[in-house]
Amino acid sequence: MDVAVVESVEQLVNRGKTVFEETFAYKPNVAACGPGRVNLIGEHTDYNDGFVFPMSLPQVTVLVGSKTDSGICRVVTTAKNADEPKKVEFSVPTSEKPLTPGEPAWANYVKGVVQHFKGQVSSFDAVILSSVPLGGGVSSSASLEVATYTFLDQLDPSQQNIDLKEKALACQKAEHEFPKMPCGIMDQFISFMGKEGHALLIDCRSMEARLVPLSDPDTVVLVVNSNVRHELTGSEYPTRRRQCHEAAALMGRKSLRDVTLEHLKAHEGVIEPEMYRRARHVIGEIQRTTEAAGALEKGDYVKCGQLMVESHNSLRDDYEVSCPELDQLVAAAMEVDGVYGSRMTGGGFGGCTVTLLKKDVVPQAIKHIKKQYAGEATFYLAAPSDGARKVTL
């Protein structure tokens, strides 16, 4: 059926144990994992105090390692496309000598979490492995941050009772300050709080979350990786975030969460056209997201699918973060009977689409998408999965 086989947590951990012993010449005794996520709907709403509706994926990032008394943290990544070097060493941070970002870039995600960990950080040796596609818009970065935090939890058990929300916020702060990505809270939240058989509706203002069942055996989620990642200037995400905040301020509101479409229309002559379109996407997307969660709760997959397609069109036309490959994948999926809805997911400019469809039409959908898509796509059946957890070695 051409569905990609995902390496299980156990397989990743076993491979990690082997790499650890080859690298450090002793056996590890601690492991933890944090999953990637796919966002069903609610894109670019999280940094606007809006709603998002993600679910945790079976794909995870795993840390395998051991506590040491050397005062030095030694970390190795097995990711093939991570920048060199693949092994880094850094001292345990102190108030006098905190950690700072640097090269290689992948290590900043680990160092940021170590710096902002709520407990007592001890030195450690660790190996990183992941089945989360890098650059696919399914949050490989948050899965690494959350896996790192959960790994550190095992080294300092006294801190394990800290609220998951606090842990998610610590990982978000790590991403803001070390990789310098001004992300919203969605990715870290769902990676910590995901539950098998459920999606999670998150209010990014109140930080409250509601589990929504997604366990109908006849309805499944198909994630399609376009396997393209367009090279950008790096300013697209910060620029859109700034445009949203400026639009809200021009309308006298704290955030676009507080703006209705009617209120926006009343300011059409005040806000310049591009900024207006950005705001229109976010305001509409916040409403679509709560409606989609409500539709899923009622088992109304047709309505949920319609909202997904509306979301994609808005991301393409108003927010301008799609690309021809993603548009092609969505259009092809929607030509198949039994597909409820499809949309791009993640930040955009490449990465993945997410499709809600009947289970028995999956082979037909994959065949049709492959035929219509000009590139080489990878297909994953995505079951809503559990969030971050300790893995017993």
Side-chain angles (χ1 to χ4, degrees):
M1 196 167 64
D2 295 310
V3 174
V5 176
V6 177
E7 207 171 354
S8 70
V9 175
E10 291 73 22
Q11 288 171 323
L12 283 169
V13 168
N14 287 335
R15 190 156 59 85
K17 286 160 67 176
T18 299
V19 174
F20 186 93
E21 290 177 33
E22 290 173 349
T23 304
F24 299 110
Y26 69 98
K27 293 182 182 296
N29 57 18
V30 175
C33 72
R37 64 96 186 101
V38 67
N39 194 23
L40 297 173
I41 192 169
E43 224 66 71
H44 294 281
T45 53
D46 55 349
Y47 51 84
N48 288 291
D49 286 349
F51 290 87
V52 291
F53 194 40
M55 67 181 215
S56 293
L57 291 172
Q59 289 93 332
V60 300
T61 298
V62 167
L63 261 72
V64 176
S66 291
K67 184 176 182 177
T68 68
D69 57 7
S70 66
I72 301 295
C73 302
R74 302 187 293 178
V75 188
V76 174
T77 180
T78 61
K80 293 178 181 177
N81 52 350
D83 46 336
E84 296 288 348
K86 298 292 181 69
K87 181 179 180 181
V88 297
E89 296 185 4
F90 52 89
S91 299
V92 172
T94 64
S95 55
E96 294 79 22
K97 194 175 181 182
L99 295 176
T100 55
E103 299 293 337
W106 66 265
N108 288 325
Y109 295 94
V110 178
K111 290 162 69 177
V113 173
V114 171
Q115 179 62 44
H116 292 293
F117 182 65
K118 297 292 184 181
Q120 180 64 44
V121 177
S122 67
S123 56
F124 61 87
D125 294 335
V127 171
I128 300 168
L129 306 93
S130 188
S131 58
V132 185
L134 299 182
V138 288
S139 200
S140 57
S141 56
S143 73
L144 173 55
E145 293 155 9
V146 170
T148 301
Y149 200 106
T150 308
F151 175 83
L152 295 175
D153 266 346
Q154 312 310 313
L155 307 186
D156 183 14
S158 67
Q159 298 299 315
Q160 290 183 28
N161 60 355
I162 287 181
D163 183 71
L164 290 178
K165 188 186 299 184
E166 291 300 311
K167 295 179 181 183
L169 288 168
C171 289
Q172 181 197 30
K173 189 173 184 181
E175 185 155 343
H176 286 184
E177 295 188 4
F178 278 70
K180 306 293 187 183
M181 176 57 74
C183 62
I185 193 60
M186 170 178 66
D187 298 348
Q188 292 83 5
F189 249 56
I190 186 61
S191 192
F192 271 118
M193 300 180 187
K195 291 292 181 187
E196 184 178 356
H198 294 79
L200 189 70
L201 180 67
I202 304 170
D203 183 334
C204 297
R205 168 172 283 173
S206 69
M207 303 291 180
E208 294 174 347
R210 183 173 94 240
L211 288 166
V212 177
L214 183 55
S215 52
D216 181 344
D218 297 324
T219 304
V220 295
V221 173
L222 179 68
V223 177
V224 183
N225 192 345
S226 68
N227 289 314
V228 298
R229 192 72 187 164
H230 291 287
E231 287 299 319
L232 306 170
T233 64
S235 66
E236 279 78 6
Y237 182 97
T239 297
R240 279 162 181 75
R241 184 173 178 135
R242 176 183 52 75
Q243 288 173 325
C244 290
H245 294 169
E246 288 182 5
L250 285 169
M251 290 182 280
R253 297 291 188 268
K254 180 183 177 184
S255 73
L256 291 178
R257 167 76 174 269
D258 303 313
V259 182
T260 63
L261 285 172
E262 292 72 23
H263 191 64
L264 175 66
K265 287 173 184 174
H267 289 78
E268 192 164 1
V270 178
I271 300 171
E272 61 92 12
E274 185 177 84
M275 189 182 293
Y276 184 90
R277 293 196 304 274
R278 304 295 187 251
R280 182 168 60 190
H281 162 73
V282 171
I283 296 163
E285 187 80 346
I286 290 171
Q287 183 175 339
R288 284 188 289 270
T289 303
T290 56
E291 288 181 6
L296 263 193
E297 283 182 312
K298 297 173 184 174
D300 189 346
Y301 301 116
V302 171
K303 177 64 173 175
C304 186
Q306 289 172 346
L307 291 162
M308 290 172 71
V309 174
E310 289 175 17
S311 169
H312 180 80
N313 293 342
S314 178
L315 287 159
R316 179 193 65 205
D317 301 333
D318 278 353
Y319 223 64
E320 296 182 280
V321 291
S322 188
C323 61
E325 294 87 352
L326 294 174
D327 297 340
Q328 199 174 72
L329 289 172
V330 168
M334 293 311 300
E335 290 169 352
V336 178
D337 287 340
V339 169
Y340 296 113
S342 185
R343 59 184 288 278
M344 60 154 280
T345 187
F349 306 107
C352 296
T353 62
V354 57
T355 301
L356 187 70
L357 71 169
K358 294 178 180 178
K359 184 178 182 179
D360 59 7
V361 303
V362 169
Q364 181 185 344
I366 291 176
K367 182 179 180 180
H368 184 71
I369 293 169
K370 286 182 71 174
K371 182 179 178 181
Q372 298 296 111
Y373 183 50
E376 291 288 332
T378 308
F379 300 86
Y380 304 93
L381 274 178
S385 302
D386 282 331
R389 55 203 181 270
K390 172 185 177 182
V391 182
T392 303
L393 294 183

